[in-house]
Amino acid sequence: MAEKLNPWLNALKQLDKAAKAINLDPGYHQILAHPKRVLEVELPVRMDDGSIKVFVGWRVQHNDARGPCKGGIRYHPNTDVDEVKALAMWMTWKTAVVDIPYGGAKGGVRVDPNALSKAELERLTRRYAYAIAPIIGVDIDIPAPDVYTNPQTMAWIMDTYSMIKGYPEPGVITGKPLELGGSEGREEATARGLQYVTEEAVRVMKIDPKKSKAAIQGYGNAGYFSAKFMHELGIKVVAVSDTKGAIYNPDGLDPDKVLAHKQKTGSVAGFPGSTLLDKDPAKANEKLLELDVDVLIPAAVENVITDKNADKINAKLIVEAANGPTTPEADDILHERGITVVPDILSNAGGVTVSYYEWIQARTREWWDIETVRKKLKARMAKSFNDVYNMHKELKVDMRTAALALAVKRVVRAMELRGIWP
Ligand code: NAD
């Protein structure tokens, strides 16, 4: 299903489209088409059997005109520098769209974390933290979790960095465990933000959530919480999936019961009362995208909606939880067909927004309760949606181009005010 397309080329194409829409000065366009800094690091790790294995990792800082760089760290066997560069650029746009005082960065290590013991993973993480320590910092670049990294990984990075500095520095990283200064609401944040923008989207599109159906691809952190919160909005979740299958029930699925089934059996497949969309999991995941639903939420991997299936999508509204699920070619087809796409840099920005709240809390040593976090997040996501929606009306472009145009304008304005040094 997911096509292996070069995400960096996609990111550049998206930038070109936004640049055209706002008549961007070619000089600033050139600056934005290059990351500010790319660090490649070699990571020798002593394995449990005594042998040495060398891993490769990156930290890419795309732009810091609006503030310190911010972005997650991904552990994946297929990650490469182009993927990390694309993700770093998307972080610049994401932080600008929700108007938090950060730039964009991303990190990656090429590794299959499932093949490592916990002790090996800790040594790899500490070596990586040491290797990128010269370019991260509470006012420089603040990493966070991404695919296959979690609060424990963040705790090891926080500790390694603090050891190097000689004092505890919780503000250097977000997505930490609560006991180490993590924020309430961080776990649900991405899907909470997605819920708040979906509420705005159905309002402007005059879709009645109580009469609507949703299909969700992927049932991890983003997918499960999205299902739960769509259910809370009254939207019937009729299909969900993971790598092992896609399930369907026209009467709706109970998100918590599906999660309990997945935790017990390892997959959503076989959930009582549901049917499999296909015996072959890859085909089933393709069929899920084409279901006759109102809202479609890709919450798994990139490049799943392409020029090959964009004309078969039946949803009225696509809200992207995953990063980069739609290719630029598919965007054009969906736009022509009148299907609204709420783009990833807006719809999944709840995660980085609550990371920002965590950073503020770490710096002030004051802790907020979950109601405070949700209230602040809701106001920010609703405002961001409406900023993008107004830009979409003003420029007469699709929502992704509008979000990018808004972000690029904000970043360029910061660069103009600061000037080109020296
Ligand atoms: P996760 O690892 O918790 O879950 C991923 C889910 O997708 C799993 O259920 C997995 O089985 C499924 N999956 C993987 N490959 C698939 C495929 N080819 N077809 C169908 N299902 C597949 O990851 P997550 O944190 O939920 O992240 C999912 C996406 O959301 C990623 O693109 C990530 O970058 C993006 N995202 C997540 C967050 C966050 O805070 N979790 C924030 C922003 C963006």
Side-chain angles (χ1 to χ4, degrees):
M1 49 170 296
E3 278 191 59
K4 189 66 194 164
L5 302 170
N6 185 329
W8 176 240
L9 297 181
N10 281 352
L12 287 176
K13 271 189 211 164
Q14 292 170 347
L15 172 63
D16 288 349
K17 227 179 184 182
K20 214 165 137 196
I22 58 168
N23 251 325
L24 179 64
D25 175 287
Y28 285 109
H29 191 163
Q30 261 187 68
I31 297 175
L32 294 172
H34 295 87
K36 176 189 158 85
R37 177 148 61 178
V38 180
L39 175 66
E40 180 170 304
V41 292
E42 180 207 43
L43 307 166
V45 176
R46 178 78 66 191
M47 306 304 279
D48 291 345
D49 66 3
S51 65
I52 297 168
K53 237 189 189 160
V54 176
F55 298 88
V56 182
W58 298 270
R59 184 73 187 169
V60 175
Q61 296 167 346
H62 173 256
N63 186 283
D64 65 355
R66 301 180 67 261
C69 295
K70 184 94 190 78
I73 293 167
R74 171 172 293 201
Y75 285 178
H76 199 277
N78 298 336
T79 199
D80 58 29
V81 69
D82 276 356
E83 180 181 75
V84 182
K85 275 162 66 180
L87 289 161
M89 184 192 266
W90 286 328
M91 285 308 299
T92 302
W93 310 145
K94 207 176 282 190
T95 55
V97 164
V98 288
D99 205 7
I100 54 181
Y102 287 140
K106 204 80 182 190
V109 177
R110 191 184 295 149
V111 57
D112 176 5
N114 297 318
L116 265 56
S117 71
K118 191 173 174 190
E120 289 166 344
L121 212 49
E122 177 174 350
R123 289 195 289 275
L124 171 67
T125 300
R126 288 186 182 278
R127 187 70 195 217
Y128 176 68
Y130 162 82
I132 64 167
I135 65 160
I136 64 170
V138 65
D139 286 313
I140 307 169
D141 178 0
I142 307 113
D146 191 62
V147 176
Y148 290 144
T149 57
N150 55 35
Q152 175 62 76
T153 326
M154 301 305 109
W156 289 328
I157 295 177
M158 179 266 191
D159 184 69
T160 307
Y161 187 84
S162 300
M163 289 296 152
I164 294 168
K165 290 285 166 189
Y167 55 87
E169 187 51 284
V172 72
I173 199 142
T174 61
K176 297 180 294 297
L178 269 180
E179 300 86 335
L180 285 179
S183 180
E184 292 287 351
R186 178 63 182 84
E187 201 189 0
E188 64 166 42
T190 299
R192 264 299 168 210
L194 186 132
Q195 174 193 1
Y196 299 144
V197 296
T198 305
E199 271 182 293
E200 293 300 305
V202 296
R203 182 179 58 76
V204 299
M205 290 174 73
K206 300 190 173 50
I207 295 175
D208 180 355
K210 302 251 164 8
K211 291 185 187 147
S212 300
K213 292 178 285 182
I216 300 174
Q217 186 182 64
Y219 214 67
N221 174 283
Y224 157 65
F225 279 111
S226 294
K228 190 174 164 75
F229 301 151
M230 289 306 110
H231 194 68
E232 267 185 28
L233 287 181
I235 298 176
K236 203 183 276 176
V237 178
V238 295
V240 300
S241 72
D242 57 30
T243 45
K244 299 196 181 111
I247 57 169
Y248 178 70
N249 183 340
D251 297 325
L253 298 157
D254 180 321
D256 282 319
K257 287 189 180 152
V258 175
L259 180 70
H261 176 81
K262 184 173 165 76
Q263 281 167 343
K264 209 167 94 195
T265 65
S267 172
V268 298
F271 178 66
S274 71
T275 50
L276 282 177
L277 282 172
D278 197 286
K279 277 197 192 126
D280 172 5
K283 278 204 189 113
N285 267 290
E286 280 170 26
K287 285 186 182 166
L288 177 140
L289 298 171
E290 296 164 15
L291 283 176
D292 186 12
V293 291
D294 305 276
V295 184
L296 176 64
I297 303 181
V301 286
E302 59 274 16
N303 297 330
V304 292
I305 303 174
T306 67
D307 53 354
K308 302 213 171 61
N309 63 359
D311 58 344
K312 297 189 202 121
I313 304 281
N314 280 299
K316 298 185 190 82
L317 172 65
I318 300 175
V319 193
E320 296 180 337
N323 281 313
T326 311
T327 65
E329 295 74 20
D331 264 331
D332 290 340
I333 299 169
L334 296 169
H335 184 55
E336 269 167 35
R337 294 186 56 217
I339 296 171
T340 300
V341 180
V342 185
D344 47 8
I345 56 169
L346 168 63
S347 49
N348 73 24
V352 71
T353 302
V354 175
S355 268
Y356 165 53
Y357 298 158
E358 179 178 335
W359 181 74
I360 296 175
Q361 292 171 77
R363 304 199 79 175
T364 57
R365 266 60 167 179
E366 258 194 49
W367 310 107
W368 306 347
D369 57 25
I370 183 108
E371 283 73 33
T372 306
V373 172
R374 283 186 188 149
K375 199 170 148 222
K376 283 178 183 284
L377 179 64
K378 184 170 177 135
R380 188 173 290 272
M381 295 307 293
K383 179 180 183 302
S384 305
F385 178 90
N386 287 295
D387 287 350
V388 172
Y389 188 71
N390 292 338
M391 186 65 78
H392 147 80
K393 290 271 168 212
E394 186 190 317
L395 299 177
K396 298 186 177 57
V397 291
D398 60 71
M399 287 284 283
R400 187 184 320 278
T401 309
L404 285 163
L406 177 71
V408 171
K409 273 183 176 227
R410 284 180 176 161
V411 175
V412 168
R413 184 70 190 132
M415 289 196 291
E416 280 171 352
L417 287 167
R418 289 177 60 165
I420 305 295
W421 192 86

